[in-house]
Amino acid sequence: MTSSIFGGKKISQIPEEDFQIRGEPAEEERTFPRESPVLGRNPQDDWDQRGERGDDDDEDGEEFGDIVDNTALLHEEEWKPVKVRNARPPHPLTVTHVNQSYDLKNLASFESALNAEYQSSEEWLKNHSIECLKLTLEDLVDRGKIGKLKPDHKTGKVGQHIQFDSYDVNEFEYKLNISIEAYTKRIKWLLQGSKRVFGNVKGKRVAVCVDTSDANTGFGRLTTLQELLIHLIDEQIANKEAAYFLSFGSEPEPLWPVMRDINCRIIEEAKEWVLGLQSKGGCNVLKAIKHIMRLKNLDMVLLILGSVPDQTPEILCDYVHQLAIGRNIQLHTVSYDSNNHLTNVSLRNLAEASEGRYHCYSAACEEQIYTGTDISLILKEIQRAQEIINRIKEMRQGMMGSALVSIMDEISTEVAKLPQSRFLPRPPGHDLPLQIDTPKFQTRSSADWLKQHGLKAKRLDLYQVLAPNAYSFKEDFIPVIKKAVQSQVLEKAMVQFDWHDGSVKNVHVDMTQLFEYQKQLGAEVALFERRMDWLASGSRRIMGTIVEKNVVILVDLSVSNINYLVHIQHSLRLLMEQQLCNKDYFNIMAFGSKAQAWKPTMMKPTPENMQSAWRWVLELQCGGSRNFMSAFKTAVENEEEIKHNINVQGVYLFTSGVPDQSCESVCSFVEEACCGRDIRLHTILFNVDDYDAAGAIPGRYANITKTSECLRNMAHCTYGRFHWFRESGIIESDDIQEITAEIDKALNFSRKCQILVDSVKKKYKQKFLQPYMTEIRALPPAETPKMKALPAPRQPAIRSSRQPREDEEQPRSILRRPASARVSNDVQRRPILPRQRPTSAKDPMERVRSKRVITSSFFMDNKVQGDGTGTVFKKYPTPRSVRKGVVKMSLPEVEEGVSTKEWMKLYSLSKLKLDLNKLVSGPDCKHKAEQLKHLNKHISAKYCDIFPTVNIKGTVKHLQLQPHELRAYEDQVERVLKRYLKRLQWLLTGSRRIFGTVVHKRCVFLIDTSGSMEPYMQDLKKELASLIWDQLYKGCIQFNIIKFSGECEKWRGSIVRPLEENCHDAVKWTSEFVARGNTCTLEALKLAFRDPNIDAVYLLTDGKPDTSTAKVLREIAEMNTDRLIEVNTISFNCDDSTANNFLRLLAAQTGGRYHRCYTDFDAQLFAHKLLTEGFTDTEHPHLPDFEGEDLRRLGSEISLARKYLAQARQFRAICEAKTIQTDRSARGTGPQSFTVGKGARRSTNT
């Protein structure tokens, strides 16, 4: 134990002595100062205090000077080399001051607080350690006072008594807690960003050495290392003055020959260097250090190692120690995700040899991070502070080593005499007289109320409604035919329905009757809900309903309720103001160890009596135990009341715990006392806090579960009611349970009505599915106009007859009804009006009308037959072009939460009219070669050489697209490719990488937590939290979660809305997953299908189920026949082809989607390479063959777009070459000869 001097003795030498504790305030009454001790005290204040003490003790001036000199020698700091690079000489007129040293110390403390980011933990603790903040055990002992020395009568030794002020102790403990909080924040800061992987890199001129050996960069580790290095450069290296980068395997390979000053260009070069790192053999750390030590003006070396060095730790440490002599170069060593202890040992020794720091990062083991130099120093400081806090707790027990300790606190005797309830907070107007509000009706219990307003009382029971139209199956013997005959009911006329007695009856469904019944059920449920709201308001929320005429209120005022006395008084006030005024007689009794009544007998609730009872309640105090039987006996065995024929009808017990007597004894006594007297005991449980800091609250004698069970039995044995509430609301109430059961019954009847209606609809639907009914349904209804119209005039036969003009309206032809088809008089037919189109909608016939022939008419001589008119054609429709042009399209920038199949219906290459084969494949561009009989030769088309020929799907065709059109096509395809890559990145980021895109609004997620999931459980928990917040919460998706291994467990009973509190609860529940047991996939699917509100299931697993896969597929198909629930399957780190085929079949069978997560594919790096290198190569970088449906569809579309882009570039090159060839031939001397014959060459010039 650390020693301190008290009168020339150490603490360990102080003998024991009895002490007297004057008092110590309770834990919640202590007050703490708000001053933060992080910055420590002002050194100038300490100097002033020392100066004042020196003035008081002038005769000890020499001793004080010696102490100051010794202290200065002890605290003299080491000499540090001054950096003079780019420094300016001091001004010749600089004036110093006596207080300059103290000003510099104050400035240093503030600078350390501001520059905490650039300090190591060792430098940071110089201003924030326990010693610097004066929070050590010696500092606490210095605040104590030596008590009166008293010898021990047995041993004769003098005992030491130390006294502390409670304020000093509380303040000291508070500052320690603040320091621990500051240390914790520092650790959290060290675990953020790139500092979590590489630590906090110090220095201004840093050299970064990266291990690129085969062991460190193999197995997909290189991609992760590159991402983390880029993050390190952006976050820490960019803030340095100069940097140097070196990668080493068997040989070191630097990025630059010398150190380079940091700027934007240097940072970009470093990032490109990181992206180009490759595996390079072994791990020759010795060569890398030798190369680095040649650099000049270097103050920090960041060594990142992920494999075992080729040299031994002893050789490396000796080499570094020799090179560092005379140079202030520190090594910041980082163990990057290495599970080999030799790597960690080597790096730790290297850091210690160069007086540097060591950092350890491991993705699999979180505890390894806390073994680094920076974090371990702060953890030790936290441990020291916690030890001092534990010693303070020992001091509160009266001992500190061998010394007795007393903590003084002065409490006046007047305050000590007051009851504790005097200091409890009181609501406004608590002591004012009652404000009585007399009820206008007599309250009833829910059981009595339902006798008048329940479903059965109002004849709204479903079986009562269906009984007149329900027929039972019957079988009887007919003597005439000598056979047993069964009742036959036409299946299409009636529906079979399960009756309440277990039998099955045939019911005739009256749709109108059921519709009216549903409306009445809705009105009845609304009435029940208003009753529940009324029961949960006012004093009924606390005490329930007081229904009897003569009542006695028993109030528990035991010592365990001393902190809740005001709550009890306020509850009684509400009860007296709202419910007791319309009773015949009432009385109030308070009981602890003894019972005391307001009046000897029950009194009428007059205003004077009510105010008197309230004044009596205000004077009540808590004390004693909980003697219920004595109070109950006093209430029900009152001789004066029996003489005057005033009988107690209801006793209401208001308590927070079980009685002193056993529950069996109390129930027997209560049942005996109430037998034959029509007395009912109603119990009200006021639920206070179950536990405090020290455990269960004393005086309760039972936990809350046993307490509620005991009080419930006490009430039910006399046919009374039980009510349980706490400050947050009602937990259990017999009155509310009666109403809730009636509401559940109404909802059950409503669901059964829906089943009946669906059965009838299904029968009629099957009727219309007959083949001969299809034609009948396809006939359109006859159109009946309002009035008859004249028939259209007969068109003349000759061309010269007058044709209708373009702006004239054509008369409509009206379908005539035959004379035999007459409308009956009792049916009133309404004319069918044409459907009005919106004004913004385009006319579908506009395209046809715009292509009409425009004509002009004129009159002719009368000699011409016909109507004497002629027609001149002025304009003919423009013929449609066969060639197809490249259209411009628009793609949305915001991602849509739909499947790739739905997304491709709108934005695929074919939908965007960017299919190159269709653009090239016109009807007039096919290359033909026909056999001419008279020449006996195959002759090609005459002008084949004009257009270049290309091969489209095995057919030689002429390319009619111009180079500028192909260039426009390339631009459009590149835009589409960039958009496809953006969606690919979106699908492979966040929770969509594991779970895919959640496209349904009511889902159940089945999570496999079998034993095979143990290596991936931590990652799965993080992905589940990301899924809940990223997709479910943002997309307003109702959800539920079921985990399954050897057994299944639900998070909630059914799907819930994605409220913030529900999401927090779901994340907390999933964070407790433990991998163990088997894989009961079928049971989990059955449990999910029990929820009637879901429309999709998402199944995540890493292998085959325990049962047969064929059995799972067969039973799921049977369960999903009518519900059509989509089962989306997710293969999580599963390489078993059989299991993946099963998941793929299950998804295809139910119409869902199959998804497989890819951990080794980096979508960001793929897109970066593709965008930086351009779309020149269709194969590199290679896109993996995705198995999941969403990624597979998008990947195939990306490959097709890259193929089309390459083909378009080839076609454009052919067109440009053809154009150059044509231009050269056009500049020639003339047409070449055309020769036909053996061995002759034919050429053509067009």
Side-chain angles (χ1 to χ4, degrees):
M1 178 178 175
T2 308
S3 61
S4 180
I5 301 176
F6 290 95
K9 294 186 177 181
K10 296 184 178 180
I11 297 178
S12 57
Q13 299 175 354
I14 300 176
E16 299 181 356
E17 183 183 8
D18 295 338
F19 63 92
Q20 180 180 2
I21 300 178
R22 301 186 185 179
E24 181 181 358
E27 190 74 19
E28 60 273 3
E29 293 181 0
R30 296 170 187 163
T31 59
F32 301 97
R34 298 184 178 179
E35 179 185 356
S36 175
V38 176
L39 296 178
R41 295 184 180 178
N42 191 342
Q44 184 64 37
D45 298 339
D46 296 341
W47 178 257
D48 295 340
Q49 294 175 5
R50 293 173 184 173
E52 292 174 3
R53 289 194 296 266
D55 295 340
D56 294 339
D57 303 330
D58 292 336
E59 64 274 12
D60 297 336
E62 296 180 357
E63 297 180 2
F64 178 77
D66 296 337
I67 294 174
V68 171
D69 295 338
N70 294 333
T71 306
L73 291 174
L74 289 175
H75 293 280
E76 183 178 359
E77 297 183 357
E78 297 178 359
W79 172 258
K80 295 183 180 179
V82 180
K83 294 183 180 180
V84 296
R85 185 171 179 266
N86 298 329
R88 295 181 179 180
H91 195 274
L93 299 180
T94 303
V95 179
T96 59
H97 193 268
V98 177
N99 295 329
Q100 183 180 9
S101 300
Y102 306 110
D103 294 338
L104 290 176
K105 288 184 178 180
N106 294 337
L107 182 62
S109 62
F110 286 106
E111 286 181 351
S112 64
L114 295 176
N115 300 326
E117 298 182 1
Y118 308 106
Q119 297 176 347
S120 63
S121 295
E122 184 178 0
E123 295 172 347
W124 186 78
L125 286 175
K126 289 181 180 178
N127 298 297
H128 300 86
S129 63
I130 294 178
E131 288 83 359
C132 179
L133 300 176
K134 298 185 181 300
L135 295 177
T136 60
L137 195 61
E138 291 86 348
D139 297 322
L140 176 62
V141 173
D142 290 342
R143 299 189 180 190
K145 298 179 182 178
I146 303 300
K148 186 177 180 180
L149 301 177
K150 291 183 179 179
D152 190 0
H153 297 290
K154 296 182 179 180
T155 61
K157 297 182 179 180
V158 178
Q160 194 74 21
H161 184 191
I162 309 174
Q163 295 180 347
F164 292 92
D165 191 358
S166 61
Y167 178 82
D168 292 339
V169 176
N170 294 337
E171 180 188 17
F172 199 87
E173 186 178 7
Y174 170 74
K175 289 183 178 181
L176 283 172
N177 289 322
I178 292 296
S179 301
I180 293 176
E181 183 179 357
Y183 299 150
T184 307
K185 289 181 179 179
R186 175 77 179 183
I187 292 177
K188 291 181 179 179
W189 177 78
L190 288 172
L191 294 177
Q192 293 176 358
S194 62
K195 296 185 289 294
R196 182 181 183 87
V197 182
F198 304 104
N200 187 20
V201 181
K202 279 188 59 185
K204 293 297 183 181
R205 305 177 64 81
V206 182
V208 181
C209 301
V210 183
D211 174 18
T212 56
S213 61
D214 294 338
N216 189 33
T217 58
F219 305 101
R221 290 166 56 97
L222 179 59
T223 304
T224 306
L225 178 61
Q226 289 172 338
E227 294 178 356
L228 296 174
L229 285 174
I230 290 176
H231 193 189
L232 170 68
I233 292 172
D234 288 335
E235 185 176 346
Q236 297 194 58
I237 304 300
N239 298 325
K240 308 300 181 183
E241 293 180 358
Y244 183 82
F245 291 91
L246 172 76
S247 65
F248 64 92
S250 299
E251 296 291 335
E253 293 185 6
L255 174 59
W256 305 299
V258 294
M259 296 194 70
R260 304 294 296 273
D261 293 338
I262 295 295
N263 53 46
C264 298
R265 183 175 57 82
I266 294 299
I267 293 298
E268 293 301 325
E269 288 183 13
K271 291 182 182 178
E272 293 178 2
W273 175 78
V274 167
L275 293 175
L277 292 178
Q278 295 179 356
S279 301
K280 300 172 185 177
C283 182
N284 197 340
V285 181
L286 191 64
K287 269 192 177 181
I289 296 177
K290 183 178 180 181
H291 184 89
I292 286 294
M293 289 300 180
R294 297 173 183 174
L295 299 176
K296 298 180 180 180
N297 297 327
L298 179 68
D299 54 8
M300 178 61 66
V301 177
L302 176 60
L303 178 61
I304 303 170
L305 196 65
S307 59
V308 181
D310 295 344
Q311 297 81 17
T312 61
E314 294 78 9
I315 295 175
L316 292 175
C317 293
D318 186 44
Y319 183 74
V320 169
H321 184 71
Q322 293 178 11
L323 286 181
I325 294 176
R327 301 181 64 183
N328 188 19
I329 299 178
Q330 298 180 355
L331 260 67
H332 181 103
T333 59
V334 177
S335 173
Y336 173 73
D337 201 6
S338 175
N339 297 325
N340 196 319
H341 70 283
L342 293 178
T343 305
N344 301 334
V345 171
S346 301
L347 293 176
R348 187 184 294 275
N349 294 337
L350 281 175
E352 293 176 355
S354 63
E355 297 182 356
R357 291 173 297 129
Y358 162 73
H359 184 80
C360 181
Y361 168 74
S362 176
C365 184
E366 293 286 340
E367 291 78 7
Q368 291 291 335
I369 300 178
Y370 298 97
T371 60
T373 306
D374 284 339
I375 299 181
S376 60
L377 287 175
I378 299 179
L379 289 176
K380 290 179 182 178
E381 205 70 16
I382 292 176
Q383 184 178 3
R384 291 180 57 194
Q386 193 62 46
E387 290 176 356
I388 297 175
I389 291 177
N390 295 335
R391 300 303 298 271
I392 292 176
K393 291 181 180 180
E394 295 178 2
M395 289 172 55
R396 298 186 188 279
Q397 303 297 326
M399 293 297 296
M400 186 175 181
S402 59
L404 297 178
V405 178
S406 63
I407 301 177
M408 300 184 300
D409 192 14
E410 296 183 359
I411 302 177
S412 60
T413 55
E414 291 79 7
V415 174
K417 293 179 181 178
L418 295 176
Q420 188 174 357
S421 60
R422 186 71 176 176
F423 302 100
L424 295 176
R426 297 167 180 261
H430 182 71
D431 298 331
L432 298 179
L434 299 177
Q435 298 178 359
I436 300 174
D437 183 13
T438 305
K440 299 179 181 179
F441 58 90
Q442 291 293 336
T443 56
R444 289 181 290 178
S445 63
S446 293
D448 296 336
W449 184 82
L450 288 175
K451 291 179 181 179
Q452 180 181 354
H453 301 283
L455 296 176
K456 193 171 183 179
K458 292 191 175 182
R459 301 189 62 82
L460 289 178
D461 193 294
L462 180 60
Y463 302 105
Q464 294 175 338
V465 176
L466 297 178
N469 296 328
Y471 303 94
S472 302
F473 174 81
K474 190 175 182 181
E475 183 178 1
D476 201 356
F477 180 78
I478 306 300
V480 178
I481 61 175
K482 298 181 180 180
K483 288 184 179 180
V485 179
Q486 300 175 352
S487 59
Q488 299 290 335
V489 180
L490 185 60
E491 182 182 358
K492 295 183 180 179
M494 293 190 179
V495 178
Q496 289 188 343
F497 186 69
D498 295 333
W499 212 247
H500 60 84
D501 58 356
S503 62
V504 179
K505 293 192 177 184
N506 298 303
V507 179
H508 171 69
V509 179
D510 188 350
M511 305 289 281
T512 306
Q513 183 186 21
L514 288 184
F515 177 72
E516 186 63 29
Y517 175 68
Q518 289 274 38
K519 289 173 59 178
Q520 296 183 15
L521 273 183
E524 195 69 11
V525 169
L527 176 63
F528 294 155
E529 290 176 349
R530 290 199 300 272
R531 168 80 179 180
M532 289 180 62
D533 294 339
W534 180 77
L535 289 173
S537 62
S539 62
R540 292 173 294 277
R541 173 178 172 270
I542 302 175
M543 308 289 290
T545 52
I546 310 297
V547 299
E548 291 83 6
K549 291 292 185 180
N550 303 335
V551 296
V552 176
I553 312 298
L554 298 182
V555 184
D556 173 17
L557 290 182
S558 58
V559 70
S560 60
N561 292 335
I562 190 169
N563 294 325
Y564 306 96
L565 178 59
V566 175
H567 298 74
I568 296 173
Q569 292 173 344
H570 185 68
S571 303
L572 290 174
R573 179 188 179 94
L574 293 178
L575 178 69
M576 297 167 68
E577 288 179 344
Q578 299 176 9
Q579 296 198 62
L580 291 184
C581 304
N582 61 344
K583 306 302 176 186
D584 292 343
Y585 294 96
F586 83 101
N587 198 359
I588 303 175
M589 290 187 180
F591 67 94
S593 299
K594 297 181 180 179
Q596 52 178 335
W598 165 58
K599 295 291 183 181
T601 59
M602 291 188 293
M603 307 294 292
K604 289 185 174 294
T606 61
E608 294 79 10
N609 290 336
M610 298 292 289
Q611 299 295 345
S612 174
W614 172 239
R615 290 191 295 271
W616 178 80
V617 169
L618 288 176
E619 298 297 329
L620 293 176
Q621 297 296 331
C622 295
S625 60
R626 197 176 284 115
N627 192 352
F628 163 74
M629 291 182 62
S630 173
F632 184 78
K633 182 177 181 181
T634 305
V636 300
E637 297 180 0
N638 195 318
E639 297 294 338
E640 293 294 328
E641 294 174 351
I642 295 175
K643 288 181 182 178
H644 294 84
N645 200 19
I646 300 175
N647 298 320
V648 177
Q649 297 176 355
V651 178
Y652 290 82
L653 172 63
F654 187 75
T655 182
S656 64
V658 296
D660 293 344
Q661 299 80 13
S662 65
C663 183
E664 294 78 9
S665 304
V666 171
C667 290
S668 300
F669 176 76
V670 169
E671 192 173 1
E672 253 184 62
C674 299
C675 182
R677 298 184 57 186
D678 195 20
I679 299 176
R680 296 187 178 183
L681 172 65
H682 309 280
T683 55
I684 300 108
L685 174 59
F686 171 58
N687 184 198
V688 297
D689 295 335
D690 296 340
Y691 295 92
D692 59 5
I697 296 178
R700 295 282 305 276
Y701 309 117
N703 57 27
I704 193 60
T705 305
K706 294 182 179 179
T707 301
S708 60
E709 183 180 356
C710 176
L711 295 177
R712 190 184 298 109
N713 294 335
M714 289 169 56
H716 291 171
C717 71
T718 61
Y719 302 99
R721 289 169 290 121
F722 172 66
H723 186 84
W724 180 10
F725 84 102
R726 64 180 306 156
E727 294 180 356
S728 58
I730 299 174
I731 301 176
E732 180 182 347
S733 174
D734 289 347
D735 280 336
I736 294 180
Q737 284 182 355
E738 294 278 352
I739 305 298
T740 305
E742 202 73 7
I743 292 176
D744 293 340
K745 188 187 297 184
L747 295 178
N748 186 26
F749 290 160
S750 178
R751 283 193 291 268
K752 290 184 177 180
C753 286
Q754 184 64 34
I755 293 173
L756 288 173
V757 173
D758 291 342
S759 301
V760 174
K761 288 182 179 180
K762 188 175 181 181
K763 288 180 180 296
Y764 280 99
K765 183 178 179 181
Q766 293 176 353
K767 175 182 177 182
F768 283 100
L769 290 178
Q770 300 297 332
Y772 63 86
M773 295 299 295
T774 307
E775 301 178 359
I776 299 176
R777 286 196 300 160
L779 293 175
E783 186 175 0
T784 306
K786 289 186 177 181
M787 56 185 298
K788 293 183 179 180
L790 293 176
R794 182 172 58 86
Q795 297 291 338
I798 62 174
R799 171 63 64 181
S800 62
S801 62
R802 183 179 182 272
Q803 296 292 337
R805 296 183 180 178
E806 184 183 8
D807 55 351
E808 291 181 355
E809 184 179 0
Q810 293 279 0
R812 299 180 181 176
S813 61
I814 302 175
L815 297 176
R816 298 184 179 180
R817 294 174 59 84
S820 61
R822 295 182 178 178
V823 182
S824 58
N825 296 330
D826 56 344
V827 179
Q828 182 181 3
R829 297 186 63 87
R830 296 184 179 180
I832 300 177
L833 300 177
R835 183 179 178 185
Q836 299 292 333
R837 295 179 58 81
T839 57
S840 60
K842 293 182 179 180
D843 189 359
M845 297 300 295
E846 182 180 358
R847 240 175 104 186
V848 180
R849 292 197 189 104
S850 62
K851 295 182 180 180
R852 286 182 178 178
V853 177
I854 301 176
T855 61
S856 177
S857 302
F858 60 90
F859 291 98
M860 301 178 65
D861 297 337
N862 294 331
K863 297 179 181 180
V864 182
Q865 295 181 1
D867 56 355
T869 60
T871 303
V872 177
F873 292 87
K874 299 178 65 176
K875 187 178 180 181
Y876 289 90
T878 306
R880 184 178 179 184
S881 176
V882 177
R883 297 178 70 253
K884 300 176 182 179
V886 180
V887 297
K888 293 185 178 181
M889 74 294 174
S890 60
L891 294 172
E893 294 297 331
V894 181
E895 295 293 347
E896 300 174 5
V898 296
S899 63
T900 304
K901 181 179 179 181
E902 297 296 328
W903 196 75
M904 282 299 171
K905 288 181 180 179
L906 300 175
Y907 308 114
S908 63
L909 293 174
S910 60
K911 292 296 182 182
L912 297 174
K913 298 182 180 180
L914 292 177
D915 191 343
L916 186 60
N917 295 332
K918 292 183 179 179
L919 288 175
V920 175
S921 302
D924 296 336
C925 58
K926 183 180 291 186
H927 178 85
K928 291 185 178 180
E930 296 182 352
Q931 176 77 23
L932 295 181
K933 294 181 180 180
H934 58 280
L935 295 178
N936 295 324
K937 290 183 179 181
H938 277 82
I939 303 299
S940 301
K942 187 175 182 180
Y943 301 101
C944 287
D945 293 339
I946 298 177
F947 302 104
T949 58
V950 293
N951 191 337
I952 303 297
K953 294 183 178 179
T955 304
V956 178
K957 294 191 176 183
H958 296 300
L959 182 63
Q960 296 184 356
L961 292 177
Q962 299 297 323
H964 68 276
E965 293 178 327
L966 289 171
R967 191 176 291 106
Y969 174 81
E970 292 171 15
D971 295 339
Q972 297 295 333
V973 173
E974 286 183 0
R975 282 186 57 202
V976 174
L977 261 176
K978 291 178 181 178
R979 184 63 184 84
Y980 286 172
L981 290 175
K982 180 180 178 182
R983 182 165 181 87
L984 180 66
Q985 290 175 316
W986 181 75
L987 288 175
L988 289 173
T989 54
S991 60
R992 290 173 293 276
R993 182 178 64 88
I994 300 298
F995 297 91
T997 308
V998 181
V999 299
H1000 304 85
K1001 292 299 181 182
R1002 296 188 297 274
C1003 311
V1004 173
F1005 293 86
L1006 308 182
I1007 308 300
D1008 183 4
T1009 58
S1010 58
S1012 58
M1013 295 287 289
E1014 175 64 28
Y1016 320 107
M1017 187 54 64
Q1018 296 300 325
D1019 295 336
L1020 179 60
K1021 293 177 184 178
K1022 297 177 183 178
E1023 295 297 338
L1024 280 171
S1026 176
L1027 169 71
I1028 292 170
W1029 291 110
D1030 186 26
Q1031 295 198 63
L1032 305 183
Y1033 179 75
K1034 291 183 180 179
C1036 298
I1037 298 173
Q1038 302 182 32
F1039 70 99
N1040 194 7
I1041 303 174
I1042 299 176
K1043 68 174 183 178
F1044 64 97
S1045 53
E1047 57 185 10
C1048 304
E1049 181 180 356
K1050 277 187 176 183
W1051 169 55
R1052 294 289 177 87
S1054 60
I1055 57 175
V1056 297
R1057 295 174 59 191
L1059 302 178
E1060 190 171 350
E1061 55 268 24
N1062 290 339
C1063 292
H1064 280 295
D1065 188 32
V1067 172
K1068 181 180 178 182
W1069 188 71
T1070 55
S1071 65
E1072 299 173 355
F1073 282 1
V1074 178
R1076 61 172 178 268
N1078 300 326
T1079 309
C1080 56
T1081 307
L1082 181 59
E1083 289 76 9
L1085 287 168
K1086 289 182 178 179
L1087 184 61
F1089 272 71
R1090 291 177 188 173
D1091 194 341
N1093 300 321
I1094 65 172
D1095 54 13
V1097 174
Y1098 287 78
L1099 170 65
L1100 184 143
T1101 182
D1102 67 337
K1104 295 188 296 183
D1106 296 337
T1107 55
S1108 170
T1109 56
K1111 179 181 178 182
V1112 175
L1113 294 173
R1114 184 176 61 255
E1115 295 198 13
I1116 294 301
E1118 293 175 359
M1119 290 190 298
N1120 206 22
T1121 303
D1122 297 327
R1123 299 188 63 183
L1124 301 179
I1125 295 176
E1126 297 182 11
V1127 179
N1128 302 278
T1129 57
I1130 302 164
S1131 174
F1132 184 74
N1133 291 324
C1134 179
D1135 297 329
D1136 187 1
S1137 58
T1138 307
N1140 291 332
N1141 290 334
F1142 159 71
L1143 295 177
R1144 191 180 292 106
L1145 288 175
L1146 179 60
Q1149 175 181 287
T1150 57
R1153 293 174 294 126
Y1154 167 73
H1155 179 77
R1156 184 179 179 186
C1157 60
Y1158 296 88
T1159 57
D1160 55 347
F1161 176 68
D1162 190 354
Q1164 306 292 339
L1165 186 59
F1166 172 82
H1168 174 75
K1169 289 182 178 179
L1170 201 58
L1171 293 174
T1172 53
E1173 297 175 6
F1175 304 102
T1176 57
D1177 193 353
T1178 59
E1179 298 296 334
H1180 180 77
H1182 177 67
L1183 188 66
D1185 296 328
F1186 296 111
E1187 295 183 12
E1189 182 178 347
D1190 285 345
L1191 296 174
R1192 178 177 52 80
R1193 289 178 182 271
L1194 186 58
S1196 61
E1197 202 71 14
I1198 291 175
S1199 301
L1200 185 61
R1202 296 173 70 181
K1203 175 184 174 184
Y1204 282 168
L1205 185 60
Q1207 287 182 354
R1209 289 171 178 169
Q1210 292 176 3
F1211 292 168
R1212 182 162 57 86
I1214 293 173
C1215 290
E1216 291 174 353
K1218 189 68 177 177
T1219 304
I1220 294 172
Q1221 181 181 358
T1222 304
D1223 293 340
R1224 289 178 180 176
S1225 62
R1227 289 193 296 267
T1229 57
Q1232 300 177 0
S1233 60
F1234 183 84
T1235 307
V1236 179
K1238 185 177 180 180
R1241 181 178 60 184
R1242 191 184 72 174
S1243 60
T1244 313
N1245 190 8
T1246 57

